[in-house]
Amino acid sequence: MDPVVNVWLGLFRRIPRRILWPGVIGAAMLTVGGLGAGAIVRRDPLLSGTVLNAIRYGHGHDLAFMVLFAGLGLMVLSWVRLGRMVITGDAGGRVVAMATAAWTTPLIIAPPLYSRDVYSYLAQGAVALRGFDPYSKGAAVLDLPLRGNVAGLWQETPSPYGPLFLLLGKVTVWLTGDNVILGAIVMRIAVLGGLAMLIWAIPRLVKHLGGRAGVAMWLTAANPVVLALGIGGVHNDILMVGLMAVGVVFVLEGMHLRGFAFIALAVAVKATALLVAPFLVWVWAARLTGSARHRFLVAAGVGGAVFVIVFGAASMVAGVGLGWIGVLKSQTPLLTWLSLPCAAAEILFYSIGTHIPGWTREGFLGVFRVLGMIALAFVLVRQWWLAREGGVDAIKRATIALLAASLLAPSVLPWYLTWALALGAAFAWSNRGAAVLGGISVWMVLITLPDGTVVWRWTYDNMNPWVWWPYLAATMAVGVWVARTLQQPMPEPEPEPKPVATTSELVGGTGA
C-alpha cells in the first residue's frame, strides 16, 4: 500500500471512536432530518408523491426537526471531545483534518441547511446565463423552479457578489439546468473547495502567527459554524475565506504577487476580503528597501496592479461589469442582534423609544446603523495605520478589521464569524480563550433555525415570547456548558481488561 495512504490511515485510526463516530452519525442525521426540516425546496421532485413527503408537514416535520437537532447535538459532542484533545495537545492538525473530512462527507448530499441562500446563488447564475444583467435584475425575471425557491425578500434584489462567484453560478446552472437539488449539490462541492484551501492554509499560517495547528484547525475547519452553517448552508463565505487565507499565506512566505492574486480572487467571490489587502501592502512594504514612502508606493502600486489584472480577468470571463459595487450600497439589511448597531437600536427603542411620541423603530435602526458604519470606518483606518510596521502585527490588525466588520455592519449573520476566524485562529490562544470561542461558536449555530431564520432579535414573527426567550436562554446555557467542558481535563482512558485464563492454562500453570 502507498506510504502516504498508510500515514493517513494511521491518523484516521488515532481518532477515538467516541469522537469520530458520533460526528459522522450526527452529520448523517442532519442530512436525513434536513429533508423535512431544512431549507428545503418548495416543490421537491424527489419526495412529492411518495410516503416520505410526510416529513415535510405536521408531525412528520416535527419528527424531522427533532432528528436534525439530535444530529447537531452529536456533531457538537464530537467537536467538543476533539477540542479537549487538541487543547491538551493530544491531537494535532492532521487528526483534526481527518475528523473534519469524516464529518463533512455525509453533508455533501444534504439538502440546504440553516439558509436558503444557495437558491439565490443559483438564481443569480441563471440571470447572468440567460442574458440579463445580474447587477440590475433579480430572480423575478426567471421562470420556476429557480425563481420559486428564492426568499421573497430577495426576489427583486440584484446580486451583491463578485464576478468569480457569478461565473461559478453560471457554470452550475449550465450543467444542472432547472434541477435545483442537483444545482445545490454542485454549489456545495464548489464551496468545499474553500474548506480544502482553508485546511491547506491554516498549518502554514500557524508557523508565521505563533499558534497551535491542532487548535487552529479545530476552531476553523472542524467548527460547527463552518460545517453545519457554512457547508450545510452552502455559503460562499467559506470559499471566500479559503481564497483569502491562501493569499495571506503566500504574502507571508514572500510570494507577494501570487498572494495579491488570490486576494483578488477572494474579492471576486465576496467583497469582504478586500479589507485584508491594505494590510498586506504593509507586510510587503516592510521587506523592501528605501524610504518609507517609496516602499509603500511600490508595494501598493505593484500589488494593486496584480489585483486589478486578476479581478478584471474574472469580470471579463464572467461577462459582467462593476455594477455590484452599487448593489452593495443598496442592500436591504436583515435584522439580527449580531449586528451591534441593530442590537443597540432595538433595545433602546423597546425600553425607551416606545414611550416617546414620534419615535419609531425604523428611525432608531437608521440612526444606529449610520453610527455603526462611522465606527467601523474609524476602526478600519486606525487599525490600518497602526499596522504600518508590517509583519505579524499587520495580520493581527487585519483580523481585528474583519471582526469589526462582522460586528458593526448593518446586517450580520452567524457565519460571518468565519471571516475573522480564518486568520485569527492561527494566533496563539490560551486554553481558556479557545474554550470561550468554542462556546460562542456552538451558540451561534443554535440561534440559527434549520430553515435559515436567525432568532437573535427582539421579536420573531408571531412566536409566543414564552417560547422565544426561554429558547434563547437555553442556547446561552449550552454555549456556557461547551466553554466549561472544554476547560476540563480529558478523562483517563479505561485500561483494557486482562484476558481471562482458560482451564487448561490454569491446570498447566499448577503442574509447572
Side-chain angles (χ1 to χ4, degrees), residues 442-481:
V442 172
W443 173 73
M444 282 196 164
V445 175
L446 292 176
I447 62 171
T448 313
L449 298 183
D451 65 355
T453 302
V454 180
V455 296
W456 186 237
R457 47 193 289 193
W458 189 275
T459 59
Y460 169 48
D461 297 332
N462 296 319
M463 181 184 284
N464 187 330
W466 293 105
V467 174
W468 158 245
W469 289 105
Y471 175 75
L472 285 178
T475 63
M476 292 181 181
V478 172
V480 171
W481 172 81

Side-chain angles (χ1 to χ4, degrees), residues 21-97:
W21 290 111
V24 174
I25 296 170
M29 292 173 69
L30 277 176
T31 300
V32 174
L35 293 172
I40 52 178
V41 294
R42 294 194 167 96
R43 297 180 183 178
D44 192 337
L46 295 179
L47 299 185
S48 297
T50 70
V51 67
L52 292 177
N53 198 47
I55 68 173
R56 293 163 56 97
Y57 309 100
H59 295 305
H61 175 270
D62 295 339
L63 178 60
F65 192 86
M66 289 187 287
V67 169
L68 192 151
F69 259 87
L72 177 63
L74 287 175
M75 286 193 71
V76 168
L77 179 63
S78 283
W79 185 67
V80 170
R81 287 174 172 174
L82 180 61
R84 293 169 72 183
M85 285 188 66
V86 299
I87 286 175
T88 57
D90 295 323
R94 290 187 177 183
V95 171
V96 177

Side-chain angles (χ1 to χ4, degrees), residues 233-249:
V234 201
H235 286 296
N236 58 7
D237 300 75
I238 307 304
L239 181 57
M240 179 200 75
V241 298
L243 289 164
M244 180 183 72
V246 171
V248 172
V249 167

Side-chain angles (χ1 to χ4, degrees), residues 474-500:
T475 63
M476 292 181 181
V478 172
V480 171
W481 172 81
V482 168
R484 291 177 62 88
T485 301
L486 286 167
Q487 297 179 66
Q488 296 174 1
M490 287 287 292
E492 293 292 332
E494 297 181 2
E496 296 183 4
K498 295 181 180 180
V500 179

Side-chain angles (χ1 to χ4, degrees), residues 75-387:
M75 286 193 71
V76 168
L77 179 63
S78 283
W79 185 67
V80 170
R81 287 174 172 174
L82 180 61
R84 293 169 72 183
M85 285 188 66
V86 299
I87 286 175
T88 57
D90 295 323
R94 290 187 177 183
V95 171
V96 177
M98 291 299 297
T100 301
W103 298 341
T104 305
T105 300
L107 296 175
I108 295 176
I109 59 171
L113 303 169
Y114 299 102
S115 173
R116 302 189 67 84
D117 282 3
V118 67
Y119 303 127
S120 294
Y121 300 161
L122 293 171
Q124 291 158 8
V127 167
L129 183 66
R130 292 170 187 176
F132 299 101
D133 179 10
Y135 296 140
S136 64
K137 301 293 182 182
V141 301
L142 301 173
D143 298 323
L144 295 174
L146 287 172
R147 182 193 72 202
N149 290 291
V150 177
L153 178 64
W154 308 118
Q155 284 285 332
E156 301 286 347
T157 305
S159 173
Y161 303 118
L164 179 60
F165 194 69
L166 277 177
L167 177 62
L168 179 60
K170 287 175 66 174
V171 171
T172 300
V173 175
W174 180 78
L175 289 172
T176 62
D178 290 342
N179 191 323
V180 180
I181 295 175
L182 186 57
I185 293 175
V186 173
M187 290 295 289
R188 179 178 281 126
I189 292 172
V191 170
L192 279 171
L195 179 61
M197 286 185 281
L198 194 60
I199 291 173
W200 178 88
I202 287 297
R204 291 164 175 81
L205 285 174
V206 164
K207 292 179 181 179
H208 293 279
L209 305 181
R212 291 176 285 173
V215 172
M217 290 283 287
W218 174 76
L219 283 172
T220 52
N223 196 317
V225 173
V226 172
L227 297 187
L229 300 187
I231 302 301
V234 201
H235 286 296
N236 58 7
D237 300 75
I238 307 304
L239 181 57
M240 179 200 75
V241 298
L243 289 164
M244 180 183 72
V246 171
V248 172
V249 167
F250 283 139
V251 170
L252 287 174
E253 294 184 350
M255 294 176 278
H256 306 105
L257 299 181
R258 191 179 302 180
F260 274 86
F262 269 87
I263 295 298
L265 291 175
V267 177
V269 171
K270 194 167 183 175
T272 309
L274 184 61
L275 296 176
V276 176
F279 294 89
L280 296 182
V281 169
W282 289 130
V283 176
W284 190 356
R287 295 169 174 166
L288 299 175
T289 58
S291 67
R293 180 181 180 182
H294 172 77
R295 289 185 283 113
F296 172 79
L297 290 177
V298 169
V302 179
V306 172
F307 183 97
V308 169
I309 291 171
V310 174
F311 191 91
S315 299
M316 289 181 59
V317 175
V320 296
L322 298 177
W324 65 310
I325 297 174
V327 176
L328 289 173
K329 300 177 182 177
S330 62
Q331 286 290 288
T332 301
L334 294 170
L335 174 60
T336 73
W337 279 10
L338 295 174
S339 167
L340 296 184
C342 290
E346 280 213 320
I347 291 172
L348 287 175
F349 172 74
Y350 284 108
S351 60
I352 299 174
T354 53
H355 305 291
I356 302 176
W359 287 22
T360 65
R361 174 173 170 270
E362 289 71 23
F364 267 72
L365 287 171
V367 169
F368 276 88
R369 279 172 168 158
V370 170
L371 293 175
M373 293 305 294
I374 294 172
L376 176 58
F378 174 79
V379 171
L380 296 181
V381 172
R382 174 175 169 77
Q383 292 301 318
W384 177 75
W385 183 245
L386 292 175

